[in-house]
Amino acid sequence: MSMTDRFFKTREFRKLFRNKSAVIAMLVIAAYLFTALFVMCGGITRETCDTVVGQNKMPGFFIQQTPEQRYENATSKFLPMVQRALSRADQTAALADVRLGQERVVNKSAAQLQAIIDRAIELKNELNQSEDLDADSARLPQLKALEDQVAMLKAPLTGWSRLMQNASLVLGTDAQGRSIFLRGLYSIKIAIQIGLVTAAFCVLLGALLGAAAGYFGGWVDHGIVWVYTTFSSIPNLVLLVVLSYAFTDSEVKDTLLPVYIAFGATFWIGTCRVIRGETLKLKRMEYIQAAQTAGFSPFYILVRHVIPNTAHLMLINFSLLLIGAIKSEVILSFLGFGVKGQPSWGIMIRDAGNNGDVVSGFFWEIGTATALMFALVLAFNILSDALQDAFDPKHV
Amino acid sequence: MHMPEDRPILKVRNLRTRFKTDRGIVTAVDGVSFDLYPGETLGIVGESGCGKSVTNKSIIRLLPERVTQYDPDSNISYHGQNLLELSERQMRSIRGNDIGMIFQEPMTALNPVFTVGWQIEEALKYHSKLSSSRRRDKAIEMLRLVEMPNPVKRMDEYPHQLSGGMRQRVVIAMALCCSPEILIADEPTTALDVTIQSQILRLMDDLKKKTGTAIILITHDLGVVAQACDRVIVMYAGQVVETGGVRDIFHRPRHPYTRALLDSMPKPGAAGHQKRLPAIEGMVPSLFDLPVGCRFADRCQRRQPACEAALPELVDPETKSVTRLATGRTTPSVRCFYPLELRQTKERQV
Amino acid sequence: MFAYIIRKLVYNIPVYLAIVLLVMILLRQRDPVAGLLGKNADAKDYAAKKQELGLNRPFLIQYGDLLRSIFTFQFDEESWTQPGVTVGEKLVEAVPRSLALTVPALVLTSLISIVVAMISAFNRGRFLDKLLVFLAVLGMSISFLVYIIFGQYFGAYQLSQWLGRPVFSIHGYEPGLVNWAYYMLLPVLISVIVSMGYDTRFYRAVMVEETQRDYITTARAKGATRGKVMFVHMLRNAMIPIITRIMITLPFLVTGSILLEQFFGIPGMGYVLLSAIRNNDFPVVETFTAVFAGLFILSIIATDILYALFDPRVRLQ
């Protein structure tokens, strides 16, 4: 039996899988991982996220739009785009360039299009005379006619493109008319990526340093403790901000590298402490002392006996660090020191705040980011608890 | 030896203690009955998980209330009252006052952040109206009684400053400071070195003679039983399988399980000639999955078809009449269809 | 004990030197001069400014200067973005504002969560306990940002709309005790709600661990009431981890809550520090981090001393 087999078929794992909420949490996490994988394979690109798919701040699917919103929806974006294209010298090319999400201009002659637009403008002007469309039910037929005219400009959508257009509007649009749903999904990839990279790196680094410090003691221990005391004596958020500040002008500023470095420099400390303590405990165990007496090299004992026996702590810490990294990424991005140039939940929340969404009662963007993040973090919290219960029940 | 009176001080009848667990209800103690007489030491012997600790925690009612159920037929009679029916408040006035308890781990049984003196005085605080200076005197007297060296100085020390044997002395002093009628000692010597073990046992015996306290001694160690007990109850999988005087049990065991336990014990003096000690084959049955028949049948070398068909009753091994209750002082009982004959056990020497 | 404190202080000197060094190196990864001068500066202005800020001196000299000012408590370097205001003045101004927010928050959070944790541990396994644990996990899973944004929206904005008069400030700050509730109460409440989940869980775990100890059974076998067992035996033992947790958070009281101060426009330490980082105000960032780190190290030593007071097993050597 291989070592991993021995680890995964233990009583602890059976206990973990008996825990119903832990299994549900694992399924939720699997769904997130799958989405992240889908995004990573090119399912949703940065460009898709930046594409304007509809009017600004369009509410999501199940909200009945008010007449004012319908008017806004009909007259902004697509209608003026076609109008502008028709007035250009290279009419055909310009018309072919008009796109709003999956929407394209219908294949009709310029004259026919112009006629539709003229009729639409006429209706728009009539509707403009109304003070408040929401209170003016008499004008509803005109509004309907206007919407029909705009719809006639659009090429009918079929199959995949129709699905994509509906999907991208399902949770509404942000202040620039970009799809909240797609941006939210793309952020899953960012969160998972940052979480996994940070957690994997920090757990490995922390475990190695912690085990070395605990096992060798002496100057190795002093050195490692000195390093982590130094890092932990600076408030975490300040250190993160200063670290990512240091990279603001460098050529890597649009990648995730500054975030990785900031997290990598700070998040290993907790794991290192825990593993160091555990190693100190293991060192006193008979089987380690037996191995020492038998003359095995310290490195062999460390890798073969000490580190495998801290595997459960590494697993728990991995899960905890993932949560920490995802939550910190959101806060850092929100403060403008984290992810740049691509969507992330922190950026979505910041945009929603900056554009006065919350004050004007438009909760779609902040709500989507919050809900997606909440479900993921909750699932990881439940999983960490279950891991703790199964592997380290005595832990405080 | 202190001459025991003839009325039992504690009568346990048909004790059934059940626990609600995630996997269903288990009966940890299944119909245990016995009497305890003043001034005697009653040993309860068995492997871990046989129900001996649960029996005693039921007497003092220290099992987690929410998951514990006592059978309505069960009765623990102490001075005419059924302990199982007392309120928590009534029970509190009995605990530490009428029934004292000594625990297995002297390392963890003491609260690390309070001084030895404070912890001995605590029981007096609850059960007596002594002034604080009188309490202190009494606590020092108790430490002296348990032969603690330098008792006045020890009063203000913390448990971590004492050795294991000294801590167990403190625990005994704590249990005895209100002069209880009954002392329950749950594996009091298991965590101690052998030399300290016999010191503690001798101390308990001396104290019993001085105070007349009846002792229930729970142990898995037959050596301890031989040294300290007057009568013995052998438990297996939640039931009493054999009872009798300590001599009967050691010289004439009637139940195959008792016999096997004795065989697995090293015999002093015979060490050089001894072959491998025989261990009892197999495992104690799970309380979740008990057999219909005799609970020891699976591991028994004398197993017959009848053993697996029905559960034997406790009987008098001579007359074969059902005693049902392991009560009284002298009647030996055994829970076996085919008890060992005297002839078969004669060659045993202790 | 004094020998212990002195030895600890000496032991922590290298840590402290490294912290200051780390912050200085990190800050100097970027060139603050261009940012401070604006777009229209030429090379001469640039050189003059660099000279003025002392950035053209060798790094070690700058390091030594900073250390000297910290160890002599001379915080009289001027802020780069607010000429004429010294770093010390900024500190003295900002720290009380942060404390006005963080101290009540810590006290409230600790008291409430210890009580809730005891209730939860006392009813372990029952519905109430399960509910409280679930709520704590739920609370921990929501981002701090969301609490603040919605707290601000409902607590400050909607509430004053509804009542027709402002109850809590949405943004801004005025000093003075009379104004405390108006400016600080809402951020304090938000802070309490955010930390409740974490603290309750931690304290509950501590209590549950203590309830399983043998000495609890011993105490009950002596005839102690449940209350005595909980509040005398258990709490006294639980004090050790509780104190550690509170002591560890003490230095962070001074940093204030960066996010809360940012949102509610309270110019406390966190707010000042964050804008100093954004505006390349090196003296403020360096001094503040150094002061914080000093407090952090002192509080670790204080924790050890408190340990020895509460736990007879611990001796300072």
Side-chain angles (χ1 to χ4, degrees), chain A residues 330-352:
Chain A
V330 169
I331 288 178
L332 218 53
S333 300
F334 174 83
L335 291 174
F337 290 101
V339 176
K340 294 184 184 94
Q342 46 190 325
S344 109
W345 291 325
I347 287 178
M348 288 174 73
I349 294 176
R350 184 183 62 185
D351 286 353

Side-chain angles (χ1 to χ4, degrees), chain B residues 62 65-66 88 92 95-96 103 105 108-114 118-119 122-123 126-127 158 160 174, chain C residues 124-126 214-215 217-226 228 232-233 236-237 240 310-313 315:
Chain B
L62 276 182
E65 269 167 45
R66 215 163 38 78
E88 172 63 23
R92 265 205 310 272
R95 283 188 206 126
F103 296 95
E105 287 281 347
T108 54
L110 293 169
N111 193 329
V113 299
F114 292 106
W118 189 94
Q119 296 190 56
E122 193 187 1
Y126 303 138
H127 301 297
Y158 289 93
H160 72 275
M174 258 165 50
Chain C
R124 194 157 77 96
R126 290 187 201 159
D214 288 349
Y215 66 77
T217 323
T218 311
R220 292 199 58 208
K222 277 192 265 185
T225 61
R226 277 181 195 283
K228 278 263 192 291
V232 178
H233 286 271
R236 181 69 201 275
N237 276 278
I240 296 159
F310 271 88
D311 189 342
R313 287 163 296 185
R315 260 210 236 121

Side-chain angles (χ1 to χ4, degrees), chain C residues 240-299:
Chain C
I240 296 159
I242 290 175
I243 284 174
T244 319
R245 187 170 178 92
I246 292 178
M247 287 303 288
I248 285 174
T249 51
L250 279 187
F252 296 93
L253 296 182
V254 183
T255 21
S257 168
I258 291 180
L259 287 177
L260 279 169
E261 290 177 8
Q262 192 75 12
F263 265 94
F264 286 91
I266 299 163
M269 232 33 252
Y271 187 93
V272 171
L273 185 70
L274 201 67
S275 43
I277 295 175
R278 284 208 176 109
N279 300 325
N280 305 311
D281 198 341
F282 286 9
V284 174
V285 181
E286 288 163 356
T287 311
F288 172 68
T289 328
V291 168
F292 171 83
L295 287 173
F296 187 83
I297 289 170
L298 287 180
S299 74

